[in-house]
Amino acid sequence: MLRACYLWSVLVLALTLAVGAAAQEPGAQAPAKNPPPPRSDTEAVEPQTEPQATTTPSRKVPPANPASTNPNESSSRSTIIDISPPIGDAQEHPDSEVPEELSGTTEMHLWNPHRAEKDVEVGDYYFKDRKNYAAAESRYREALLYKPNDAVATFRLAQVLELTDRPSEARQYYQAYLKILPHGPYAVDSHKALERLQTQSQNQSQPQSKDSPKDSSESPR
């Protein structure tokens, strides 16, 4: 009986020591619920890190136009279309253009061939039917504003200038018509008019002879 009690006591003691040893092992103790906040004097101060600047993608700047180096020069200059004639065009076609002073284009006007045709019709009415040369001249000149180098308007204007005693300017417009249409319907009339004006100019330039007969209206003494 005593021996049995002794063995039981030893067994209980062994179990108690085993439980105590297991409780003292590192990491075996469970963390306490709701741990108290750390004291201010024991808190670890984390180093302040500067916030990284958010970099936005930079917009690419287009390269400067190398053709425009003058700051005062308009940017639209790079879009100007070259309308100059090809090299050697003037030598190959010497009679393809009429001088600007003959076209009557002293100011900018829109290209309007229908308006020019109407001006020629009204000019012919004043020229042929009404014999109003001033009104006809105005219409023909206006037709040349809306359609430069119009053949009919050029020839009609030359006729009006000849009839209003302006031979020098009339000669220029006759020649201008022959440059526009060398074999046109009024080419023969233009050549005849030029010959007529040339003859008149020569007669006016010749001095009157001293032996020329006196005026018949002068009564003899």
Side-chain angles (χ1 to χ4, degrees), residues 28-209:
Q29 186 177 2
K33 297 181 180 180
N34 298 328
R39 295 173 57 184
S40 61
D41 56 351
T42 60
E43 289 181 354
V45 180
E46 296 182 359
Q48 295 292 334
T49 59
E50 296 181 359
Q52 296 182 357
T54 58
T55 59
T56 58
S58 61
R59 301 175 65 182
K60 295 183 179 181
V61 180
N65 186 4
S68 177
T69 58
N70 188 357
N72 297 325
E73 186 177 1
S74 174
S75 60
S76 62
R77 183 178 179 84
S78 59
T79 61
I80 295 178
I81 302 175
D82 184 12
I83 58 174
S84 58
I87 300 175
D89 183 74
Q91 290 78 9
E92 295 178 1
H93 308 87
D95 297 334
S96 61
E97 295 183 357
V98 177
E100 294 182 359
E101 61 271 12
L102 302 182
S103 63
T105 54
T106 57
E107 56 182 293
M108 295 298 294
H109 282 77
L110 295 177
W111 170 265
N112 194 339
H114 300 291
R115 175 72 177 271
E117 183 179 2
K118 185 64 177 179
D119 285 331
V120 171
E121 292 179 359
V122 177
D124 289 345
Y125 167 76
Y126 284 118
F127 177 61
K128 298 178 181 179
D129 299 339
R130 305 298 296 272
K131 306 299 180 182
N132 188 344
Y133 300 135
E137 177 183 354
S138 177
R139 288 292 184 168
Y140 294 142
R141 290 189 184 276
E142 186 175 276
L144 290 175
L145 291 177
Y146 291 101
K147 184 183 177 183
N149 301 336
D150 182 85
V152 178
T154 301
F155 176 77
R156 294 297 188 206
L157 183 56
Q159 288 183 310
V160 171
L161 293 171
E162 182 182 3
L163 292 173
T164 54
D165 198 18
R166 285 175 283 178
S168 178
E169 193 174 0
R171 186 184 302 108
Q172 292 177 345
Y173 277 93
Y174 280 127
Q175 293 173 350
Y177 173 81
L178 292 175
K179 289 183 178 181
I180 299 170
L181 293 178
H183 306 288
Y186 302 111
V188 176
D189 294 335
S190 296
H191 284 293
K192 291 180 179 180
L194 289 173
E195 294 176 359
R196 182 170 58 251
L197 292 173
Q198 182 68 22
T199 303
Q200 292 178 1
S201 176
Q202 292 177 355
N203 292 336
Q204 291 176 359
S205 62
Q206 291 178 357
Q208 198 171 20
S209 176

